[in-house]
């Protein structure tokens, strides 16, 4: 393997990692925009998405619906997205919305508490929930080789799906009426309400989109790594938040840029630096701090928010 | 005249004194019974009693006011009572070193949270890297004691100071960011520190530092049982009394800072940084000073821990510990020393007691956190807007007259 | 009016005081002809290592139940379960909790090495026997001369020595190492590297990964370029599973060898066919080969535990048995139990013979290699993968293809 091959191969690895980070980052960006809340439980909705799919797969398996794989995959994605979004909307109504006007510390702690509760609930109520859970292999497993570089079909599918989801979300937000409401609320909630935007409904929709996208990431994560675990959302939450900040909070495309950048940073730190594998997060977080200090609006951020 | 009225509100004389001490004793007995009870019955009874008391006093404002007035009138006796009762804790928990240890642990959290409160509560600076700063203190003390055999008083001091020095590392980020961004900076810092400590050789790597000398002050070893002549207390009694001493000292220091012009400066920065700047407050200087000072407190608690347990390793200083610290400050009530004590009690001692629900413990912890914050978003003991309260206290007489003249009601 | 409120407050106060005293005095227990003796069990019941923790707890409880069912027992035994969450800080509290209850005569403690190492002082200071049932860091027994500390399972030194020697036997020459950065993973890496050098294996690279990592494609891509005969993984199942999965996906066909941390059911369950041919080393004799082993398996199933005992369950079971036997013999006295345990020599148990050396370490005569075959961990010597067996380890096939063998 030449150096160039290695760079390309590692870039593919970084992109895969990055696209999942991006999907989680989208949620952070949306919630921040609409509610001005950093929802730290978001990583756990990513985890919940994976577990919902696993439960749905279990049901399908006992009913014998597993012959038609493409249909099964669609069923898993849609089912998990709906269920996860439902839980997100309910919890948002109960715990996130009441504190969105409170000081940011309160909302931060409440969402952290929510994350703990969700994580532990999965661990306690899912049968033997503290063990890692195998995820069914449903995506095609072959690969194509270009020279020395191996690209797996699965990777292509996951990447394309990830990009597609982000494009759809962006379309929803920029081109539809619903999206207009979200953007209006993001800019000025009270003014939007005066113009007849239903604030509660807008918040529900925001959480629906955010959680559904996180669920997609959770399922993709399951397919890609073949395993999900109850505590995988905690770190994902921190990384997703970091990615959304690097990209620019409030900007959907920023989330994709931030996520992929974070993925690439980790990958190349691990591949090239001495002792890189164990210290790659140190490197990645260091870059995050640099960004916050020197370009707090992020790569694609538009304007400075003075919202403290 | 106002003074008279104040007197009237309270139970007077011996009755008042007895009531004051009685209330303290009841609370004390209720709390100690939680420790001594092997099961959770007392805890459940306590919770029911507390709920009943809250409901009762909400309906009977007059009685509540009377009691608090009585307490205020017997301030000195109340303090002496509290001190005596606190000194008695090792005697009560003689049979249960475990709970004494837990109480000390809670004390160390209080120590750290006093520091955190200076940053978070008084100045409004987010710090989600409390555990990382504690690691600086703990590792500094541990390494100095292990490698150079320095005496405990010096390593404790060094632990606090070095933590302060290292927090200057975050100098630029702390000044240049705020709100959510500062939160993220500190989270990132927290993760960096733990990963680095785990991967470096000279910090002992993942195995941490072992056999750190236990506390020893000028030949008096804390590792021996505390012999008082008539009774021999468990060795943790040494640590308990020392924690108590430090907490009193730091508590008074924090109190003094809070009531000095430094505290007022901090409050102006917290409430409106721009306004503070335009009014000539050196925002950057004070933000940094208070950030470093707070971290010194946190570092001291870490150094103390390493000398008490004799063993530290990276997982001791993980992110969730930072969260617990912040939760204590917020749940107890920001910018309120009493709140911190209550918060530490609720978040350190109660979960320990909740071990009997085993599996569901953390889930319930999360839910309780949410419920408390939703219903008491300003903490259990929300801080009183300070200057006005003080002014009212000081000029109560005049104010009352003025208000009466306007036909207003006393707040 | 004033007097009445005051009086009622006093009444409330005294009622509460009496109530709390009553509840304190009447703890559980009491009654019965036999004296009740408590034995503590400490291990992870929550968090990511709760799986093996619960297996250990069940096995421990089984031993207690069996002792209580035995009419010849002199005492009634009561199990005290304390969760250490696999965190050192919580572990110290847990050990202290056990130690400060005077009725607790011995403690069967800890699955996680970093917790076990942090609590030895506590046990020593309180004179309470600490029988480690799962942690494998050598320093737990060898890093001190505390006579209270015993360990029924082996250490990573023994495990890795045998492992490295076996690799040479199979004809492997080059190894790439991945380990987690906890002391479990790093310790394994260090002891394995040492043994590997002694027997002449060539180590191509060593990469550490943090314990909450999921993505190993970067590390594996590097390894793929190195093209080793074996990938050695020092770490637990939550990392081992995605690592193995990604290895298969990246079409790396080198042999995958793990440590005791992956020898549990969740590894096979989560990986399915991808687990086939993976090797793991565990101290002690395989259960199936010992007469008591099958009995344990049946008794465990008969007791109706939902969760499997996992790799270290039998060790917890044996630790409990040793503690009970010592108490039966010398009575419920901490000091005497410690002294009695120290004399354990050549005792027949379901994990093989147990003999404690002067450090309290069980000198396990045996380290067993297991292979994952058809979704089960099978002792390598009994599997179809054994030398001359019907199947061939993936690593051997791979080497033959490459013409290295």
């Amino acid at each position: 393997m030449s150096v160039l091959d290695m760079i390309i191969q590692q870039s593919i690895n970084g992109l895969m990692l990055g696209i999942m980070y991006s999907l989680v980052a989208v949620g952070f960006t949306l919630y921040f925009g609409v509610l001005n809340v950093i929802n730290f439980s978001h990583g756990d909705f990513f985890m919940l998405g994976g577990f919902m799919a696993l439960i749905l797969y279990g049901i399908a398996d006992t009913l014998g619906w597993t012959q038609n794989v493409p249909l099964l995959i669609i069923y898993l994605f849609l089912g998990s997205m709906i269920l996860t979004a439902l839980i997100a909307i309910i919890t948002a109504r109960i715990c996130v919305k009441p504190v969105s006007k409170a000081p940011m510390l309160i909302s931060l702690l409440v969402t952290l508490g929510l994350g703990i509760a969700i994580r532990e609930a999965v661990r306690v109520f899912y049968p033997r929930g503290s063990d890692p859970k195998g995820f069914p292999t449903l995506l095609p497993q072959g690969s194509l080789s270009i020279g020395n570089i191996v690209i797996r079909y699965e990777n292509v599918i996951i990447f394309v799906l990830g990009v597609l989801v982000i494009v759809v979300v962006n379309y929803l937000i920029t081109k539809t009426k619903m999206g207009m409401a979200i953007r209006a609320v993001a800019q000025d909630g009270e003014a939007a309400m005066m113009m007849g935007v239903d604030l509660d409904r807008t918040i529900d929709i925001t959480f629906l989109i955010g959680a559904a996208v996180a669920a997609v990431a959770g399922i993709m994560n399951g397919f890609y790594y073949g395993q999900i675990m109850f505590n995988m959302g905690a770190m994902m939450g921190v990384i997703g938040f970091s990615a959304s900040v690097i990209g620019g909070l409030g900007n959907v495309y920023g989330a994709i840029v931030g996520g992929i950048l974070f993925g690439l940073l980790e990958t190349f730190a691990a591949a090239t630096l001495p002792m890189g594998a164990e210290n790659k997060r140190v490197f990645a977080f260091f870059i995050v701090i640099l960004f916050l200090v020197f370009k707090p609006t992020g790569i694609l951020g538009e304007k400075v928010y003075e919202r403290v | 005249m106002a003074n008279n009225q104040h007197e009237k509100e309270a139970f007077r004389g011996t009755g008042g004194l007895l009531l004051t001490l009685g209330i303290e004793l009841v609370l004390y007995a209720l709390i100690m019974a939680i420790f001594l009870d092997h099961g959770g019955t007392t805890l459940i009874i306590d919770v029911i009693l507390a709920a009943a008391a809250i409901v009762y006093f909400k309906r009977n404002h007059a009685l509540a006011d009377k009691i608090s007035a009585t307490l205020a009138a017997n301030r000195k006796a109340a303090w002496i009572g509290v001190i005596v009762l606190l000194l008695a804790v090792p005697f009560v928990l003689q049979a249960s070193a475990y709970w004494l240890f837990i109480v000390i642990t809670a004390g160390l959290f209080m120590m750290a949270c006093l520091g955190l409160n200076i940053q978070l509560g008084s100045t409004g600076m987010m710090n989600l890297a409390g555990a990382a700063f504690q690691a600086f203190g703990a590792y500094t003390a541990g390494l100095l004691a292990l490698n150079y055999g320095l005496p405990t008083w010096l390593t404790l001091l060094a632990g606090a100071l070095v933590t302060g020095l290292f927090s200057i590392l975050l100098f630029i980020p702390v000044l240049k960011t705020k709100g959510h961004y500062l939160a993220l900076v500190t989270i990132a810092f927290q993760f960096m520190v733990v990963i680095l400590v785990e991967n470096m050789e000279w910090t002992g790597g993942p195995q941490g530092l072992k056999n750190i000398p236990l506390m020893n002050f000028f030949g008096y070893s804390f590792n021996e049982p505390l012999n008082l002549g008539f009774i021999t207390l468990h060795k943790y009694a040494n640590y308990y009394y020392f924690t108590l001493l430090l907490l009193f000292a730091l508590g008074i220091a924090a109190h003094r800072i809070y009531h000095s012009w430094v505290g007022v400066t901090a409050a102006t920065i917290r409430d409106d940084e721009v306004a503070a700047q335009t009014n000539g407050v050196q925002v950057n200087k004070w933000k940094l000073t208070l950030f470093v000072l707070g971290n010194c407190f946190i570092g001291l608690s870490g150094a103390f821990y390493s000398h008490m347990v004799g063993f530290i390793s990276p997982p001791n200083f993980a992110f969730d510990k930072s969260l617990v610290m912040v939760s204590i400050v917020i749940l107890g009530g920001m910018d309120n020393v009493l709140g911190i004590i209550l918060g530490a009690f609720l978040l350190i001692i109660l979960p320990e007691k909740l071990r009997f629900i085993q599996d569901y413990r953390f889930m319930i912890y999360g839910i309780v956190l949410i419920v408390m914050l939703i219903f008491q978003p300003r903490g259990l003991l929300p801080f009183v807007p300070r200057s006005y309260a003080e002014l009212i206290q000081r000029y109560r007489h005049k104010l009352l007259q003025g208000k009466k003249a306007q036909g207003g009601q006393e707040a | 009016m004033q007097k009445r409120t005051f009086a009622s407050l006093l009444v409330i106060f005294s009622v509460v005081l009496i109530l709390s005293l009553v509840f304190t005095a009447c703890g559980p227990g009491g009654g019965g002809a036999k004296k009740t003796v408590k034995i503590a069990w400490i291990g992870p019941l929550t968090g990511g290592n709760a799986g093996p923790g619960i297996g250990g707890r069940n096995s421990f409880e089984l031993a207690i139940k069996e002792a209580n069912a035995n009419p010849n027992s002199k005492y009634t035994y009561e199990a005290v379960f304390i969760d250490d969450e696999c965190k050192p800080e919580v572990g110290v509290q847990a050990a202290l909790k056990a130690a400060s209850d005077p009725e607790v005569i011995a403690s069967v403690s800890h699955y996680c090495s970093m917790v076990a190492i942090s609590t030895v002082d506590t046990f020593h200071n309180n004179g309470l026997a600490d029988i480690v049932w799962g942690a494998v860091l050598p320093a737990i027994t060898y890093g001190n001369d505390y006579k209270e500390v015993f360990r029924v399972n082996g250490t990573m030194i023994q495990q890795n020595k045998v492992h490295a020697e076996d690799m040479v036997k199979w004809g492997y020459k080059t190894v790439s190492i991945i380990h987690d950065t906890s002391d479990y993973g790093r310790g394994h890496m260090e002891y394995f590297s040492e043994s590997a050098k002694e027997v002449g294996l060539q180590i191509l690279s060593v990469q550490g990964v943090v314990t909450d990592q999921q993505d190993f494609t970067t590390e594996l891509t590097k390894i793929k370029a190195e093209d080793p005969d074996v990938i050695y993984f020092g770490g637990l199942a939550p990392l081992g599973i995605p690592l193995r999965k990604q290895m298969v996906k990246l079409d790396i066909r080198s042999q995958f060898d793990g440590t005791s941390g992956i020898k549990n059911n969740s590894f096979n369950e989560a990986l399915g066919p991808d687990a086939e041919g993976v090797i793991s080393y565990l101290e002690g004799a395989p259960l199936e080969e010992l007469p008591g082993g099958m009995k344990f398996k049946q008794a465990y199933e008969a007791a109706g535990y939902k969760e499997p005992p996992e790799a270290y369950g039998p060790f917890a079971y044996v630790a409990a048995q040793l503690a009970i036997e010592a108490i039966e013999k010398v009575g419920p006295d901490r000091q005497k139990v410690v002294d009695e345990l120290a004399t354990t020599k050549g005792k027949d148990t379901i994990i093989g013979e147990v003999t404690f050396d002067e450090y309290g370490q069980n000198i396990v005569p045996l380290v067993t290699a297991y292979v994952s075959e058809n979704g089960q961990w099978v002792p390598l010597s009994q599997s179809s993968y054994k030398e001359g067996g019907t199947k061939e380890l993936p690593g051997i096939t791979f080497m033959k293809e490459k013409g290295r063998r």
Side-chain angles (χ1 to χ4, degrees):
Chain A
M1 240 185 181
S2 69
V3 175
L4 185 67
D5 288 344
M6 194 63 143
I7 290 175
I8 294 172
Q9 190 75 56
Q10 294 289 25
S11 303
I12 295 172
N13 296 338
L15 280 178
M16 296 308 298
L17 205 55
I19 197 75
M20 279 181 259
Y21 292 165
S22 304
L23 291 184
V24 178
V26 166
F28 277 100
T29 272
L30 282 179
Y31 299 152
F32 182 76
V34 172
L35 273 177
N36 198 17
V37 157
I38 297 297
N39 180 3
F40 266 108
S41 65
H42 191 53
D44 292 285
F45 284 97
F46 156 84
M47 177 273 295
L48 206 56
F51 270 89
M52 285 298 166
L54 203 58
I55 293 168
L56 289 171
Y57 179 78
I59 295 169
D61 202 26
T62 43
L63 295 177
W65 292 351
T66 44
Q67 296 87 2
N68 191 336
V69 174
L71 213 62
L72 181 67
I73 294 176
I74 292 172
Y75 151 81
L76 288 184
F77 269 106
L78 283 183
S80 165
M81 282 161 76
I82 292 168
L83 288 173
T84 311
L86 218 61
I87 296 175
I89 292 172
I90 294 169
T91 52
R93 282 199 172 185
I94 298 172
C95 10
V96 184
K97 222 157 59 181
V99 294
S100 61
K101 290 278 180 294
M104 80 163 268
L105 259 175
I106 304 288
S107 60
L108 194 139
L109 263 195
V110 166
T111 55
L112 279 168
L114 178 61
I116 294 175
I118 293 173
R119 200 177 312 148
E120 285 296 313
V122 168
R123 191 184 69 74
V124 173
F125 295 122
Y126 196 89
R128 285 178 56 206
S130 44
D131 289 346
K133 296 288 163 201
F135 208 78
T137 311
L138 297 176
L139 299 179
Q141 289 299 305
S143 60
L144 75 156
S145 309
I146 307 167
N148 277 328
I149 298 153
V150 182
I151 300 172
R152 300 175 47 71
Y153 298 138
E154 193 183 55
N155 293 13
V156 177
I157 294 171
I158 289 177
F159 191 79
V160 169
L161 184 67
V163 174
L164 208 68
V165 166
I166 291 172
V167 169
V168 168
V169 169
N170 197 57
Y171 174 82
L172 286 178
I173 287 175
T174 51
K175 295 278 158 34
T176 62
K177 216 169 165 189
M178 177 181 85
M180 198 139 49
I182 291 178
R183 279 183 299 144
V185 172
Q187 238 165 36
D188 190 335
E190 272 154 29
M193 270 168 82
M194 275 163 66
M195 302 305 285
V197 173
D198 184 342
L199 187 63
D200 285 346
R201 221 183 117 229
T202 311
I203 292 173
D204 284 350
I205 290 171
T206 313
F207 272 88
L208 185 137
I209 297 175
V213 171
V216 170
I219 302 171
M220 280 170 34
N221 180 85
F223 281 136
Y224 188 54
Y225 298 131
Q227 173 204 275
I228 55 174
M229 201 165 166
F230 76 97
N231 60 5
M232 68 183 188
M235 197 64 202
M236 199 55 158
V238 175
I239 293 174
F241 179 30
S242 305
S244 64
V245 171
I246 299 180
L249 265 179
N251 184 318
V252 175
Y253 282 122
I256 192 172
V257 172
I260 287 175
L261 189 69
F262 202 97
L264 288 174
L265 270 178
E266 273 195 9
T267 305
F268 280 99
T272 55
L273 298 179
M275 298 273 288
E278 52 244 72
N279 288 317
K280 62 183 174 189
R281 292 247 165 91
V282 176
F283 181 72
F285 281 126
F286 184 67
I287 304 282
V288 169
I289 293 184
L290 287 186
F291 254 105
L292 286 166
V293 172
F294 295 108
K295 198 156 182 355
T297 51
I299 300 171
L300 296 183
E302 288 142 24
K303 56 182 181 216
V304 184
Y305 282 95
E306 178 73 16
R307 278 172 158 168
V308 188
Chain B
M1 185 201 147
N3 247 350
N4 256 344
Q5 205 174 357
H6 180 237
E7 285 287 301
K8 240 189 203 171
E9 282 167 3
F11 291 107
R12 269 171 299 169
T14 343
L17 185 68
L18 275 177
L19 182 65
T20 307
L21 296 178
I23 289 171
E24 282 178 357
L25 210 60
V26 172
L27 289 176
Y28 188 71
L30 285 174
I31 293 168
M32 289 298 142
I34 297 180
F35 296 146
L36 293 172
D37 179 5
H38 286 300
T41 338
T42 318
L43 179 66
I44 294 164
I45 293 175
D46 278 7
V47 170
I48 294 169
L49 280 176
I54 290 171
V55 172
Y56 182 74
F57 284 126
K58 277 227 163 129
R59 286 196 184 158
N60 274 296
H61 267 293
L63 184 63
D65 288 344
K66 257 184 188 175
I67 290 174
S68 53
T70 311
L71 286 176
N74 292 295
R75 209 186 176 83
K76 226 179 231 168
W79 269 109
I80 293 171
V82 166
I83 290 169
V84 169
L85 290 176
L86 284 178
L87 287 176
V89 167
F91 294 86
V92 179
L93 298 182
Q94 169 74 339
S96 177
Y98 163 66
W99 282 109
L100 194 54
F101 182 81
I102 299 292
V103 170
I104 301 168
T105 312
L108 292 184
F109 267 100
M110 288 175 202
M111 204 184 286
C113 290
L114 280 176
L116 193 59
N117 187 41
I118 294 177
Q119 305 165 341
L120 205 68
S122 309
T123 328
M125 279 183 290
M126 190 59 152
N127 182 358
L128 280 165
F133 287 115
Q134 219 176 17
F136 282 116
Y139 273 93
T140 305
L143 287 169
L144 286 177
L146 276 175
N147 296 342
Y148 303 102
L150 295 186
T152 310
W153 65 271
L154 203 60
T155 55
L156 285 182
L157 198 66
L161 293 180
V162 169
T163 310
L165 274 178
F166 268 99
S167 57
I168 297 178
L169 272 184
L170 274 182
F171 178 69
I172 300 171
V174 167
L175 293 185
K176 290 203 72 168
T177 59
K178 55 183 129 181
H180 296 108
Y181 296 114
L182 182 53
L184 183 54
V185 165
T186 53
I187 290 174
F189 185 73
Q190 162 76 49
F191 279 105
M192 284 169 66
V193 168
V194 174
I195 297 173
L196 278 175
V197 167
E198 193 165 276
N199 289 332
M200 284 187 303
E201 287 291 321
W202 58 278
T203 52
Q207 291 188 20
L209 300 178
K210 278 189 286 284
N211 301 325
I212 300 167
L214 299 175
M215 280 191 199
N216 189 323
F217 286 95
F218 310 107
Y220 178 74
S221 168
F222 274 26
N223 208 25
E224 300 297 320
L226 178 59
N227 192 345
L228 293 176
F230 59 98
I231 189 172
T232 307
L233 294 172
H234 194 272
K235 69 165 180 180
Y236 282 124
N238 293 315
Y239 293 99
Y240 174 80
Y241 288 125
F242 190 44
T243 317
L244 209 57
L245 188 74
L246 281 179
L247 269 180
F248 260 100
L250 292 180
I252 289 169
H255 187 79
R256 293 295 283 267
I257 293 171
Y258 177 81
H259 285 281
S260 70
W261 55 273
V262 177
V264 179
T265 308
T268 56
I269 295 174
R270 176 192 61 206
D271 294 340
D272 193 334
E273 205 168 298
V274 181
Q277 189 111 45
T278 47
N279 279 309
V281 173
Q282 287 171 295
V283 172
N284 286 357
K285 179 182 141 194
W286 283 111
K287 269 174 101 172
L288 185 68
T289 312
L290 292 167
F291 189 69
V292 169
L293 183 71
N295 285 333
C296 286
F297 281 34
I298 299 175
L300 180 64
S301 71
F304 192 115
Y305 180 84
S306 74
H307 278 302
M308 177 171 74
V309 177
F311 173 85
I312 48 171
S313 66
N316 277 348
F317 308 103
F319 181 48
D320 41 355
K321 203 170 173 193
S322 298
L323 291 181
V324 172
M325 287 184 201
V326 175
S327 313
I328 288 174
V329 174
I330 293 175
L331 200 64
M334 290 229 260
D335 218 359
N336 184 327
V337 174
L338 274 181
I340 288 170
I341 293 171
L342 186 66
F345 185 80
L346 285 177
L347 289 182
I348 307 300
I349 295 179
L350 278 199
E352 207 48 48
K353 196 68 216 180
L354 287 179
R355 276 180 177 279
F356 68 91
I357 50 172
Q358 290 200 355
D359 256 17
Y360 302 89
R361 199 153 61 104
F362 283 111
M363 196 172 71
I364 290 173
Y365 182 88
I367 294 170
V368 168
L369 198 64
I370 298 169
V371 172
M372 281 187 172
L373 287 172
I374 288 177
F375 289 105
Q376 282 280 22
R378 301 178 63 203
L380 295 173
L381 298 175
F383 83 108
V384 199
R386 92 174 56 231
S387 26
Y388 305 114
E390 268 166 55
L391 283 176
I392 288 170
Q393 276 297 327
R394 219 171 284 169
Y395 304 107
R396 193 188 173 88
H397 187 71
K398 274 188 182 172
L399 268 172
L400 272 177
Q401 276 182 335
K403 280 212 169 175
K404 281 218 170 115
Q406 284 167 23
Q409 276 184 328
E410 196 186 340
Chain C
M1 157 76 199
Q2 216 185 74
K3 270 204 174 143
R4 229 184 58 197
T5 14
F6 183 60
S8 61
L9 275 173
L10 267 182
V11 169
I12 294 175
F13 160 59
S14 23
V15 168
V16 165
L17 204 63
I18 291 165
L19 268 181
S20 49
L21 283 176
V22 167
F23 278 105
T24 319
C26 316
K34 288 179 186 172
K35 193 176 176 228
T36 300
V37 174
K38 288 184 189 166
I39 303 178
W41 175 93
I42 308 178
L45 292 173
T46 50
N49 288 304
I54 290 167
R57 181 193 63 185
N58 293 347
S59 309
F60 172 84
E61 197 183 37
L62 183 64
I64 300 281
K65 278 184 186 163
E66 284 178 357
N68 285 337
N70 182 353
N72 298 329
S73 298
K74 288 186 204 151
Y75 307 98
T76 307
Y77 294 96
E78 188 186 326
V80 181
F81 302 116
I82 311 174
D83 182 11
D84 67 17
E85 297 168 34
C86 206
K87 292 180 189 159
E89 210 174 339
V90 184
V92 172
Q93 290 172 15
L96 203 57
K97 185 171 188 183
S100 66
D101 184 345
E103 287 172 40
V104 171
I105 303 302
S107 175
V108 173
S109 2
H110 307 308
Y111 170 76
C112 301
S113 289
M114 53 191 167
V115 184
I117 191 74
S118 65
T119 61
V120 286
D121 290 329
T122 310
F123 284 110
H124 170 65
N125 291 338
N126 288 285
L128 181 63
D130 168 27
I131 313 174
V132 176
W133 61 273
V136 289
L137 191 74
I140 296 164
T141 40
Y142 291 127
N144 57 59
D145 45 13
Y146 299 155
K147 56 187 189 322
E148 290 83 3
V149 182
F150 303 94
R151 171 159 48 191
V152 284
N153 59 304
T155 69
M156 23 172 105
I157 300 180
Q158 290 150 322
Q159 211 185 94
N160 285 297
K161 194 159 176 277
V162 176
H163 198 159
E165 284 165 359
D166 278 5
M167 280 191 186
V168 176
K169 269 188 219 152
W170 285 104
Y172 304 127
K173 294 189 180 65
T174 52
V175 192
S176 295
I177 298 178
I178 291 193
H179 66 92
D180 75 41
T181 54
S182 79
D183 53 356
Y184 177 85
R186 193 178 289 262
H188 267 292
M189 178 273 285
E190 279 165 10
Y191 289 109
F192 177 76
S193 310
E194 222 169 82
S195 304
K197 268 175 211 147
E198 277 171 24
V199 297
L201 285 166
Q202 191 194 348
I203 294 168
L204 300 174
S205 69
V206 177
Q207 298 185 82
V209 291
V210 290
T211 44
D212 57 358
Q213 190 166 326
Q214 282 245 304
D215 186 283
F216 304 98
T217 46
T218 313
E219 290 81 3
L220 285 169
T221 302
K222 245 169 122 175
I223 288 182
K224 189 172 185 185
E226 292 164 4
D227 197 22
D229 295 341
V230 191
I231 296 176
Y232 173 93
F233 169 64
L236 307 175
L239 259 70
I241 293 165
L243 181 65
R244 172 65 188 167
K245 188 88 184 177
Q246 287 162 49
M247 209 182 126
V248 173
K249 288 192 173 179
L250 289 175
D251 197 30
I252 300 175
R253 286 180 301 139
S254 312
Q255 177 62 36
F256 184 73
D257 275 19
T259 53
S260 52
I262 61 164
K263 196 215 161 254
N264 51 38
N265 288 16
S266 66
F267 186 83
N268 287 325
E269 276 167 23
L271 279 170
D274 289 338
E276 190 70 23
V278 172
I279 298 246
S280 162
Y281 277 74
L282 181 70
E283 323 82 64
L287 270 187
E288 295 79 1
E289 281 183 5
L290 292 157
M294 285 318 282
K295 226 177 84 196
F296 168 76
K297 251 190 158 171
Q298 284 157 4
Y300 191 91
E301 276 156 26
Y305 293 118
K306 282 186 303 209
E307 309 87 358
E310 301 292 10
Y312 286 96
F315 292 102
Y317 177 80
V318 168
Q321 281 185 331
L322 290 176
I324 290 168
E325 268 180 49
I327 294 169
E328 288 286 318
K329 199 164 169 194
V330 298
D333 179 303
R334 285 187 184 180
Q335 185 58 46
K336 284 184 193 158
V337 167
V338 168
D339 295 340
E340 173 61 25
L341 280 171
T343 63
T344 305
K345 207 170 179 184
K347 186 151 277 176
D348 259 332
T349 70
I350 61 162
I351 53 163
E353 275 191 6
V354 173
T355 300
F356 289 133
D357 66 8
E358 73 261 42
Y359 293 100
Q361 174 63 48
N362 180 16
I363 319 161
V364 192
L366 215 53
V367 174
T368 312
Y370 289 83
V371 64
S372 176
E373 187 180 4
N374 302 326
Q376 296 289 330
W377 286 108
V378 185
L380 186 57
S381 54
Q382 292 171 24
S383 70
S384 343
Y385 287 106
K386 68 182 173 199
E387 225 147 343
T390 50
K391 289 185 191 165
E392 199 172 52
L393 282 173
I396 306 290
T397 318
F398 171 69
M399 282 175 65
K400 279 185 182 162
E401 272 171 33
K402 290 254 171 182
R404 293 188 212 153
R405 197 184 146 116

